[in-house]
Amino acid sequence: MQEVSHSGAGELRLDALIADLWWRVRLLNTDIIEEEARAGVFDAQQPTYPVLAANLRARRDNLVSTIGVLEQRARSTSEAA
């Protein structure tokens, strides 16, 4: 019985982590838009694209990838229960 409740608590923590990471992705998206607007360059392929925006994009993309792995783990955990 304790394993089930412990597993449920783990799922809740994982869900909370995923929600927090999505919140951070939204913050990064806002920061990217603001930096692009400040520089007046919106195409990441342009040589004048702001370095900060490029770095924020990379961080955001890494977070989205991590979220995908965590969501897959959460699904497999809930299916196993």
Side-chain angles (χ1 to χ4, degrees), residues 11-22:
E11 286 180 42
L12 290 176
R13 283 193 304 260
L14 189 54
D15 289 344
L17 175 60
I18 291 168
D20 180 64
L21 292 177
W22 276 123

Side-chain angles (χ1 to χ4, degrees), residues 14 17-22 24-25 28 58-75:
L14 189 54
L17 175 60
I18 291 168
D20 180 64
L21 292 177
W22 276 123
R24 292 173 190 275
V25 167
L28 287 169
R59 290 179 67 191
R60 181 206 51 206
D61 294 346
N62 285 338
L63 277 178
V64 170
S65 177
T66 299
I67 292 167
V69 170
L70 292 173
E71 288 176 337
Q72 184 177 16
R73 175 185 251 177
R75 278 192 303 274

Side-chain angles (χ1 to χ4, degrees), residues 5-67:
S5 63
H6 178 68
S7 172
E11 286 180 42
L12 290 176
R13 283 193 304 260
L14 189 54
D15 289 344
L17 175 60
I18 291 168
D20 180 64
L21 292 177
W22 276 123
W23 174 73
R24 292 173 190 275
V25 167
R26 289 190 299 275
L27 288 176
L28 287 169
N29 283 335
T30 301
D31 291 344
I32 292 165
I33 291 167
E34 289 175 359
E35 184 61 21
E36 290 172 342
R38 188 192 63 72
V41 180
F42 300 91
D43 182 1
Q45 302 303 315
Q46 294 295 318
T48 56
Y49 191 75
V51 174
L52 177 57
N55 288 336
L56 292 171
R57 280 176 173 259
R59 290 179 67 191
R60 181 206 51 206
D61 294 346
N62 285 338
L63 277 178
V64 170
S65 177
T66 299
I67 292 167

